[in-house]
Amino acid sequence: MTDTRKVALVTGGNKGIGFEAARQLAQLDHRVVIGARDQHRGQAAAEQLQSEGAEASYVVLDVSAHDTVTAAIAVIEQQYGRLDVLINNAGTAPTEGAPSEVALDTLRDTYETNVFGLVAVTQAALPLLRRAVAGRIVNLSSGAGSLTVVSGPDWRPEWNGLAYNTSKSAVNAVTVAFATELRATPIKVNAVNPGYTRTDMSPGADRPASAGAAVVVRYATLPADGPTGGFFDENGPVAW
């Protein structure tokens, strides 16, 4: 009998929101594949989920290293033959000063992971997503990627980062581009702001990573009449 359980890849899935999203998808009977740069951390994360009863595995995947991207997708194709859910979670948030002081190398490195890496994984995974009955792509964005939010009077000067903020604005634009291309297909592509949650990037947050992951999972499991090409947080649409 053919196993109809959905297959989900979560980049950067060995910790934080990515790990919690993988856990929640597993609880919804998805077979989850954790993409992790570090083999040992990826293996440990998969084993943790397995100990909880999940069908979980890992692939070595560094979104900024194209050879690992293609190799990871090849492993998923060989093992499952398709991909139902792609969560582009892997990201970086560098220490920044004022925009006028940010080194170009910092900008390049941030975009390499947050934007170019996301595009590389999405392009590589699309053939497998097209084989699914209704593929779902969720791109991790941020409130800092909203031009409306960051240009508002309440946006504090210390939050006025150049590299991270603009990389997430670019993620939103990339989301719209892919959603527009795929609008005539069953695949839905959305950007999600998981909110200010406690992760390595924001250790001072009170909100647990599981709460941010729940928002991600909501848009990774949209019904056929769900939205595409949007930007959402736990309360609904976010202004671009």
Side-chain angles (χ1 to χ4, degrees):
M1 181 179 293
T2 302
D3 191 338
T4 59
R5 288 177 297 167
K6 293 180 178 179
V7 180
L9 169 63
V10 184
T11 68
N14 58 289
K15 62 180 180 179
I17 292 171
F19 178 76
E20 292 297 334
R23 170 182 274 155
Q24 291 176 26
L25 285 169
Q27 291 169 348
L28 294 174
D29 206 28
H30 286 56
R31 296 177 291 181
V32 295
V33 181
I34 290 173
R37 291 183 300 175
D38 184 281
Q39 178 179 346
H40 300 293
R41 292 178 179 177
Q43 178 69 32
E47 289 176 352
Q48 174 62 41
L49 293 181
Q50 291 165 8
S51 73
E52 298 172 8
E55 182 175 339
S57 60
Y58 82 98
V59 287
V60 175
L61 176 54
D62 179 346
V63 301
S64 64
H66 191 69
D67 58 336
T68 73
V69 172
T70 55
I73 297 301
V75 168
I76 294 170
E77 179 176 24
Q78 182 177 27
Q79 187 167 359
Y80 299 112
R82 72 174 195 282
L83 185 64
D84 298 272
V85 175
L86 169 62
I87 296 179
N88 283 310
N89 166 76
T92 185
T95 300
E96 299 185 59
S100 59
E101 300 170 354
V102 174
L104 289 180
D105 282 346
T106 299
L107 201 62
R108 291 189 184 99
D109 290 346
T110 304
Y111 271 65
E112 191 65 45
T113 296
N114 293 359
V115 184
F116 305 143
L118 181 151
V119 171
V121 173
T122 302
Q123 289 178 336
L126 264 177
L128 297 187
L129 286 158
R130 290 182 185 275
R131 295 179 193 173
V133 173
R136 300 288 181 262
I137 302 172
V138 179
N139 296 327
L140 270 286
S141 186
S142 167
S146 165
L147 300 182
T148 300
V149 171
V150 302
S151 62
D154 296 330
W155 194 250
R156 288 158 49 177
E158 61 267 32
W159 298 339
N160 189 34
L162 181 66
Y164 179 78
N165 293 7
T166 64
S167 75
K168 291 303 183 179
S169 298
V171 165
N172 291 348
V174 166
T175 298
V176 172
F178 275 104
T180 299
E181 177 183 354
L182 298 168
R183 197 172 297 279
T185 78
I187 299 172
K188 298 186 183 297
V189 191
N190 290 292
V192 168
N193 169 24
Y196 186 56
T197 55
R198 190 167 56 252
T199 66
D200 287 353
M201 291 184 185
S202 49
D206 294 328
R207 190 164 173 262
S210 57
V215 188
V216 174
V217 170
R218 182 190 310 168
Y219 288 91
T221 56
L222 285 172
D225 61 351
T228 190
F231 180 23
F232 304 94
D233 64 12
E234 62 182 341
N235 298 313
V238 178
W240 297 112

